[in-house]
Amino acid sequence: MNAQNIFQDSREIERKPRELWSPMKISAAEIEAQLSALEDGDQDDHGRREAFIVHPQAPAGVRGLAPATQVVVGVVLPGESTELTRDNTTGLAMGIGGTGQVEVGDRTMQISLQDVWTKPTMRLERFTNTGTEPFRYLRYSNAALLESISAFYEDRGSEAAAIEAGVIDHGRRAKDLAPAIPLTGDEQLLPYEHLVDPDFVEDKPLHFAWAEVSQHLSGVLGLTTGYTGRPLVVLYNPATGRLNGTTPSFFATITAVGGEFIGGNHRHMSSAINYHFGGSGASVVEGQRYEWAAGDLMLSAPGWAAHQHFISDEGARVLTVQDHPLHTSNASLVWQEDIEHGEILILGSEAGFETNIADYATS
């Protein structure tokens, strides 16, 4: 290999401009048609019936609706189960039709309409239809990111079934015999034992049952236009700590609006994908207006795209999945809450924004 092909002189080569993926809406009718098509024929070699939703701008070999986010629609027919598999993705899913049983690691969850559940990394996973109607779901994972950096790993079938998922009981650890070496300031040196046995936080499979979640939305349902935040709650996983995530890569939020609501025009480096499971409204992204209704899925906020949401007078229910924790952990979450007048901050690396929630608080 010629050295001239390896080195690129910064004085001669300009940095490639950041590519803004186009907003993209997948209608409820398109999703229904795809799910119906999946119900025909046989299961795949995982025992699954799934379709990837791939953005036209996704690089070859990366099956993502956004650069770091893979979205799949899937269905399990009555009497069917999927094969046990495990992989190094983390993700979450929402039931959008029928009922099913989902096994993740050592937890078995009974899933109903609009329930959300999580899948930690390298846990055995299986879906089973427990009803008389097709069990349908939307599944989100960081597989697109892993595919883009050639880091996706998977065990399948009998190989996966032979693996016992669970947390290792370390007992006495070699790293305790090789403590960190302090230097003059805050700097330290770590022996090898720390690299191969990092401290961990157990990430458990979680089940956010809609029957329970829906009982706790009165606080956001009462917010009106003029509130400087958004009327939503985060489905929070304590294992993510300060990342405020549902998984290490994503947060999932439930927006619940009782009537007409206009949000502020804002932007953030994280991408956001909205599944509208109730009501209707519109989103304006980089000046282009998109009308949406119940059942529509939309890449509503490509990274750093200016966007604003308008909820109709009938209100709305929206599941938003955003790679906010991924960016927070990388100190790359550039955020501007008010494009016209607001400052630009790096959330998680400095103090963030305030809202006027005090004006809505009740004693």
Side-chain angles (χ1 to χ4, degrees), residues 58-227:
V62 177
R63 297 167 295 180
L65 180 54
T69 312
Q70 184 177 94
V71 183
V72 165
V73 292
V75 60
V76 184
L77 298 183
E80 288 184 345
S81 288
T82 65
E83 187 178 54
L84 273 174
T85 60
R86 71 171 195 164
D87 59 45
N88 65 335
T89 67
T90 59
L92 60 104
M94 173 182 259
I96 60 173
T99 58
Q101 176 178 285
V102 176
E103 301 167 62
V104 182
D106 59 1
R107 183 168 187 183
T108 299
M109 297 168 278
Q110 305 301 323
I111 304 300
S112 299
L113 186 65
Q114 293 157 13
D115 286 6
V116 173
W117 70 95
T118 67
K119 184 201 80 71
T121 187
M122 297 300 282
R123 299 294 181 88
L124 292 172
E125 181 183 42
R126 175 163 51 202
F127 300 163
T128 301
N129 187 312
T130 57
T132 58
E133 300 294 327
F135 172 42
R136 293 174 164 184
Y137 55 89
L138 269 173
R139 184 164 60 84
Y140 306 78
S141 79
N142 62 346
L145 172 64
L146 298 182
E147 288 176 344
S148 69
I149 61 174
S150 299
F152 177 78
Y153 175 88
E154 179 182 53
D155 291 321
R156 299 168 55 185
S158 58
E159 180 183 7
I163 297 168
E164 292 292 334
V167 176
I168 299 172
D169 181 7
H170 285 266
R172 188 179 185 185
R173 302 164 73 177
K175 64 186 293 182
D176 297 333
L177 304 176
I181 304 166
L183 298 180
T184 304
D186 293 332
E187 301 83 2
Q188 296 183 5
L189 302 178
L190 289 180
Y192 174 75
E193 285 73 16
H194 291 254
L195 300 183
V196 294
D197 187 14
D199 291 335
F200 65 90
V201 176
E202 184 180 5
D203 186 8
K204 300 177 181 179
L206 302 181
H207 179 197
F208 296 91
W210 179 247
E212 182 177 7
V213 171
S214 61
Q215 300 302 310
H216 297 277
L217 299 178
S218 59
V220 291
L221 282 168
L223 297 171
T224 60
T225 298
Y227 170 55

Side-chain angles (χ1 to χ4, degrees), residues 284-341:
V284 176
V285 188
E286 290 292 313
Q288 185 172 353
R289 185 178 179 91
Y290 299 82
E291 305 285 341
W292 46 260
D296 292 346
L297 178 75
M298 183 176 174
L299 173 60
S300 61
W304 207 237
H307 59 285
Q308 186 173 15
H309 304 300
F310 300 81
I311 309 298
S312 72
D313 56 7
E314 67 175 319
R317 302 290 184 274
V318 185
L319 172 74
T320 299
V321 176
Q322 193 172 133
D323 56 355
H324 181 292
L326 172 68
H327 281 282
T328 303
S329 64
N330 283 286
S332 58
L333 189 54
V334 185
W335 194 291
Q336 189 174 29
E337 203 49 2
D338 179 351
I339 289 180
E340 287 73 25
H341 310 290

Side-chain angles (χ1 to χ4, degrees), residues 12-84:
E12 300 173 2
I13 304 295
E14 293 185 3
R15 183 184 297 276
K16 181 182 178 181
R18 184 177 51 81
E19 182 181 18
L20 179 65
W21 287 26
S22 301
M24 181 177 173
K25 186 181 84 170
I26 302 94
S27 70
E30 291 172 311
I31 293 173
E32 174 61 35
Q34 181 59 66
L35 286 167
S36 295
L38 289 171
E39 292 171 9
D40 295 333
D42 297 326
Q43 298 162 280
D44 68 13
D45 58 0
H46 287 68
R48 300 196 183 198
R49 301 170 182 270
E50 294 185 337
F52 301 93
I53 303 176
V54 182
H55 196 285
Q57 291 172 257
V62 177
R63 297 167 295 180
L65 180 54
T69 312
Q70 184 177 94
V71 183
V72 165
V73 292
V75 60
V76 184
L77 298 183
E80 288 184 345
S81 288
T82 65
E83 187 178 54
L84 273 174

